Amino acid sequence: MLALNFFKLLKRTNSVRSKNQIITKINGKQDFSSHMVNFEAKNESVYDKIYNECIKNGLSAKTIYKNEWIFKLKINYLRSGFLLLTKWNPKQMDDLFVLLQLPLKKLAYITRRTIIESTIVPHGNRVYYFAENFEKEPEEVCYHMIHYKFLFSRNFLTLHQIYQTLIENNVNKNDIWRDTWIFMYSIEQINRRISLIKTANIGIKPWMLRCKPEVFQRTIMIQQENRVVLNTDSTAQYLAKRLKVSEKTIRYINSKYPSILRVSPTKLKEILDFLLKEGYRPAHIMSTPRVFTHSISTLQERLTELRDLGCEPNLTALCKNKTTYQELVDKLILKNSKSFNNSEML
């Protein structure tokens, strides 16, 4: 009963949850594969067998007790799964154990592929390849690959070529990792899109290389317009210059209103040009940064309407929601009506 004794020791030292807590947590989860069984139905000897099988195959006790789903695996599946994973030549079994969540046939299939391509894949297999290139832990990579299963089957030379092309063109690694679908597209399309983006002199994002042609063309146009506005400045630097404040001040305002720096530079320019032309000073604009989240047409319409009602509005009035803005308009109309009636009586 080695596993139970070990479990009791861990319980006394408060280094893991009690066995009852583990059982409760496991039973609260749904089975996610046909090779899972109800842990509650297992007796102590089966529990020991699973624990001992994991230890025998190099899985650490810490990893075992951090991943309760392991105890829902059938013992025969576990033995077969570990046998397959050893053929991946893992540095340690903790790196690859997550792949035990795959059906046995799927695991056997990708194991055969791994053996065949082991001489051409840097670091021996795809898990270590992605872990090294994207600076991720192997366990995280395994979960990622299970979610994007084509990473197991996509032709490796094509996959590697796409990765190299993206990196050589200064595409951010984290952007690639978050948009893994880029590996499903042809290298010809990727190179063609990169060439067009470089001509436009804008930064490359993976989604731009795989979006629909009409979306791509619209994106290029917007990015070029933004570049004309910003020149070599960032959005924060542009706002700082236009509002005559430091970039640090803009960053502080953005911390309070995070949407500001997400507004397109062309829209920022349009609103700034309009407000400054209409007599609003930079200090007024700085005190009401949410003005940038409104459309230019709304601001123009409201300013015209309020001035027609005899009001010279501040920016807060222009930024009211529909209900409170209409209440303001109604009050001004009522005020003007009373003034008109009084003048008629005179």
Side-chain angles (χ1 to χ4, degrees):
M1 304 294 285
L2 175 61
L4 289 178
N5 291 334
F6 182 79
F7 191 96
K8 291 175 182 177
L9 176 61
L10 290 177
K11 181 179 178 181
R12 285 198 299 271
T13 58
N14 293 320
S15 60
V16 296
R17 291 182 292 274
S18 69
K19 181 180 174 184
N20 287 336
Q21 288 175 307
I22 290 179
I23 293 174
T24 300
K25 185 169 183 179
I26 292 174
N27 288 338
K29 295 182 178 180
Q30 292 183 338
D31 292 345
F32 49 79
S33 179
S34 60
H35 57 270
M36 299 293 181
V37 296
N38 191 324
F39 179 72
E40 189 174 23
K42 289 180 179 290
N43 57 36
E44 298 296 340
S45 63
V46 175
Y47 179 87
D48 279 342
K49 285 180 180 179
I50 290 175
Y51 175 84
N52 290 332
E53 190 67 32
C54 291
I55 293 296
K56 183 177 73 174
N57 283 280
L59 202 59
S60 69
K62 180 180 178 181
T63 296
I64 295 170
Y65 287 111
K66 279 176 59 180
N67 295 272
E68 293 93 340
W69 57 266
I70 292 173
F71 294 101
K72 298 180 76 177
L73 294 171
K74 296 177 182 178
I75 189 66
N76 289 335
Y77 170 84
L78 198 61
R79 288 169 179 161
S80 299
F82 276 128
L83 182 62
L84 290 171
L85 290 181
T86 56
K87 296 179 181 180
W88 291 55
N89 296 319
K91 298 174 184 177
Q92 55 184 12
M93 191 55 72
D94 285 19
D95 292 342
L96 303 180
F97 79 98
V98 172
L99 299 182
L100 292 171
Q101 293 187 9
L102 293 168
L104 191 60
K105 286 185 178 180
K106 180 68 175 179
L107 183 56
Y109 169 73
I110 63 175
T111 297
R112 286 195 296 272
R113 288 186 63 98
T114 298
I115 294 171
I116 292 171
E117 65 185 19
S118 61
T119 57
I120 63 170
V121 177
H123 312 291
N125 62 61
R126 297 189 185 211
V127 172
Y128 287 142
Y129 168 82
F130 285 120
E132 181 69 23
N133 284 290
F134 288 102
E135 301 174 16
K136 305 291 182 182
E137 291 298 322
E139 181 179 347
E140 180 184 351
V141 171
C142 287
Y143 278 115
H144 194 74
M145 294 181 73
I146 287 175
H147 185 72
Y148 299 99
K149 291 183 175 61
F150 62 83
L151 293 176
F152 289 117
S153 56
R154 182 76 158 120
N155 179 278
F156 179 76
L157 293 179
T158 300
L159 187 151
H160 181 63
Q161 186 180 8
I162 291 172
Y163 174 79
Q164 290 291 98
T165 299
L166 296 175
I167 295 302
E168 288 169 3
N169 286 280
N170 301 314
V171 181
N172 185 278
K173 284 185 178 182
N174 289 328
D175 289 339
I176 302 172
W177 183 252
R178 287 191 293 265
D179 193 2
T180 313
W181 287 108
I182 188 62
F183 289 111
M184 286 297 289
Y185 289 77
S186 71
I187 189 65
E188 290 77 20
Q189 174 178 323
I190 291 171
N191 281 326
R192 187 164 56 250
R193 289 281 178 92
I194 286 176
S195 178
L196 292 171
I197 293 172
K198 280 186 171 181
T199 301
N201 192 30
I202 58 178
I204 303 173
K205 297 289 184 181
W207 66 267
M208 297 168 65
L209 306 177
R210 63 180 186 83
C211 63
K212 294 180 179 179
E214 57 270 25
V215 175
F216 178 72
Q217 292 299 330
R218 174 63 179 163
T219 300
I220 291 294
M221 184 181 72
I222 292 173
Q223 293 286 357
Q224 286 179 317
E225 291 173 350
N226 289 341
R227 181 49 54 198
V228 170
V229 171
L230 296 178
N231 195 5
T232 59
D233 291 334
S234 66
T235 302
Q237 290 170 333
Y238 172 77
L239 280 175
K241 288 179 180 178
R242 291 296 306 269
L243 296 175
K244 300 177 182 178
V245 295
S246 67
E247 184 180 348
K248 184 178 179 180
T249 301
I250 296 297
R251 296 289 181 188
Y252 174 77
I253 294 174
N254 186 65
S255 69
K256 303 296 182 181
Y257 299 90
S259 59
I260 294 174
L261 293 184
R262 292 198 292 266
V263 177
S264 71
T266 50
K267 181 180 177 181
L268 290 175
K269 180 181 184 302
E270 191 175 21
I271 291 176
L272 281 169
D273 288 347
F274 168 70
L275 294 178
L276 293 171
K277 180 182 177 182
E278 293 297 333
Y280 293 98
R281 302 177 67 82
H284 298 151
I285 301 171
M286 288 279 293
S287 65
T288 318
R290 66 180 182 277
V291 70
F292 293 113
T293 63
H294 289 262
S295 69
I296 186 68
S297 59
T298 297
L299 295 173
Q300 289 171 334
E301 289 170 6
R302 288 185 172 186
L303 181 59
T304 300
E305 183 175 30
L306 293 176
R307 281 178 172 172
D308 287 345
L309 290 171
C311 172
E312 189 59 40
N314 57 29
L315 292 181
T316 301
L318 297 183
C319 295
K320 290 179 180 292
N321 61 44
K322 288 184 179 180
T323 301
T324 54
Y325 174 75
Q326 191 57 50
E327 289 174 353
L328 173 61
V329 170
D330 292 342
K331 287 179 181 179
L332 290 172
I333 292 174
L334 181 61
K335 179 181 177 181
N336 288 340
S337 297
K338 289 181 178 179
S339 298
F340 177 77
N341 291 335
N342 290 336
S343 64
E344 284 289 305
M345 291 176 65
L346 293 174

